[in-house]
Every structure is written in C-alpha cells, then in structure tokens.
Amino acid sequence: MTTALPLLTQDDSACCGTVAGGALESEQPERIARVFKALGDPTRVKLLSLIGGSETGEMCICDLTDPVGLSQPTVSHHMKQLVEAGLATREQRGKWAYFRVIDGALENAARTLLPQ
Amino acid sequence: MTTALPLLTQDDSACCGTVAGGALESEQPERIARVFKALGDPTRVKLLSLIGGSETGEMCICDLTDPVGLSQPTVSHHMKQLVEAGLATREQRGKWAYFRVIDGALENAARTLLPQ
C-alpha cells in the first residue's frame, strides 16, 4: 500500500495557494514549515537525494542503510518523517518498504513561499 | 553594511553543485539541511514570505513585528537565522535593520537536492 499525506500537491496549490503580497494564508506557514523541517537534517537530505537520483526513482530501505551508514530502524525513522511531510511515498512489498520521492512537493513548498 | 553568508549562491552551485546520480558531495547535505532547517519554523516562513512579497523587496524590522505578532528581539532572532542560512541579507541603516530575500537561494537548495 502506498501512503502519502496530501500536502502541497499540485491540486492543493491550485486550490488554496494564493499569496497576497507575501501574506500566506493562515494555515500555510505551518504546512510549509513542516516540509522544510523534514529536510532540516543532513541524513534526510541525503536519503531524499539518493532516492530521487536512483535509476528507477525508487529505493528499498535495504539499500538505503549502507550509503548513510545507519541502522535500518534509524533510517526507517528518518523516512517516516519524509513521508509524513509529504515528500516521499512508502510502499510495503513483502518484507521490505520501498520509497519514492513525490514529484514537485519540494518545488511547490518553495514556490508557495516565494513565488517568482 | 549588508551581510550574507555565501551559501548556495549561483556561483557556488556553478562551481561545486555537481550531483552524481543522487549522491551529494560530502559537505552538501549539511549546507542544504541548514537552509531548510531555517525554514522549518512557521514564523520564519511567514517572515521570509512577507519580505519576498513586499513592494520594494525589502522590509524594516520595525514593520515585521506587527504581522507576526512578536516582539522585536524575537523577530531579530528569527531573522538572524534566515541570514545565517544564506536566505536573506541584513542592512543596518541608522536605528533600524532592513532585510531582503536572497534571490534563488531557496531554489538552488531545492535544485541541488533534487535536480529535475
């Protein structure tokens, strides 16, 4: 099963992402901060970069532990935060969890914060 | 005097921002995480949005306190973190400090993390 919180998706920003002279809607700062907070850690930056840059765009938790040099429970904990922030999806297949980066989620957060 | 740390500027990413199959260079995750960590707080998200969306692209600390409903020392503290992360510049003019968003800094961090 693939799970992802519906944060800052295209539809969402199309519906409610209006920015009036730099004044974000009342609930937006909290949602945007949650996305960035998830990336305020070098290990999670590395994990998202590894998954996003992988050949298939998907990585098994079993292949993420070595590159970051951490145990599987620790990597799982970091990945949970990325999934909860709406930056990645998690799919369980048998014994292993597989992760994908949600396209545009980070870009949308940045664009909502500072539209150019 | 305008001060800004030279993090993730255009030149910087042109020089060292190479990403090889999602494997960030050794010092990059720390630098990228520092940018995002500064935005992992709703007040700082609001402050950067206000400054970036202002008519002149610049705001006085004296005009930032009301919109976020916080004291000047608290706003100063938040702004210091945004300046140290390379997201804003600070210029002292007489009694007041004026802030600007550094164009492209957030975009560069996002693009270095997840090149499209």
Side-chain angles (χ1 to χ4, degrees), chain B residues 48-109:
Chain B
L48 204 73
S49 167
L50 283 164
I51 298 165
S54 68
E55 259 181 49
T56 58
E58 177 182 82
M59 278 185 80
C60 172
I61 182 98
C62 55
D63 293 320
L64 287 169
T65 50
D66 266 9
V68 294
L70 294 169
S71 72
Q72 202 177 299
T74 304
V75 173
S76 274
H77 176 73
H78 282 303
M79 285 310 307
K80 192 175 177 217
Q81 290 175 69
L82 291 172
V83 170
E84 285 180 350
L87 287 162
T89 60
R90 178 190 192 281
E91 193 180 335
Q92 186 76 35
R93 284 189 222 143
K95 184 181 171 187
W96 302 113
Y98 289 78
F99 297 95
R100 276 187 180 277
V101 174
I102 297 180
D103 281 343
L106 175 57
E107 202 180 18
N108 282 351

Side-chain angles (χ1 to χ4, degrees), chain A residues 42 45-46 49-50 67, chain B residues 8 12-33 112-113 115:
Chain A
V45 162
K46 256 189 231 176
S49 167
L50 283 164
Chain B
L8 298 161
D12 195 39
S13 86
C15 141
C16 326
T18 54
V19 176
L24 294 168
E25 312 257 321
S26 59
E27 83 289 3
Q28 281 185 326
E30 279 72 17
R31 292 193 307 162
I32 295 172
T112 308
L113 172 54

Side-chain angles (χ1 to χ4, degrees), chain A residues 21-22 24 33 36 39 42 45 49 53 113, chain B residues 21-22 24 33 36 39-40 42 45 49 53 113:
Chain A
L24 294 168
F36 291 129
L39 291 171
V45 162
S49 167
L113 173 53
Chain B
L24 294 168
F36 291 129
L39 291 172
V45 162
S49 167
L113 172 54

Side-chain angles (χ1 to χ4, degrees), chain A residues 19 21-24 26 28-30 32-34 36-37 39-46 48-54 87 101-104 106-107 109-116, chain B residues 19 21-24 26 28-30 32-34 36-37 39-46 48-54 87 101-104 106-107 109-116:
Chain A
V19 176
L24 294 168
S26 58
Q28 281 185 324
E30 278 73 17
I32 294 172
R34 195 162 14 152
F36 291 129
K37 193 173 186 178
L39 291 171
D41 176 279
T43 298
R44 291 195 291 276
V45 162
K46 256 189 231 176
L48 205 72
S49 167
L50 283 164
I51 298 164
S54 67
L87 287 162
V101 174
I102 297 180
D103 280 343
L106 175 57
E107 202 180 19
R111 206 186 309 126
T112 308
L113 173 53
L114 292 176
Q116 302 264 320
Chain B
V19 176
L24 294 168
S26 59
Q28 281 185 326
E30 279 72 17
I32 295 172
R34 194 162 14 151
F36 291 129
K37 194 172 185 180
L39 291 172
D41 175 280
T43 298
R44 291 195 290 277
V45 162
K46 255 189 233 178
L48 204 73
S49 167
L50 283 164
I51 298 165
S54 68
L87 287 162
V101 174
I102 297 180
D103 281 343
L106 175 57
E107 202 180 18
R111 206 186 309 125
T112 308
L113 172 54
L114 293 176
Q116 301 264 323

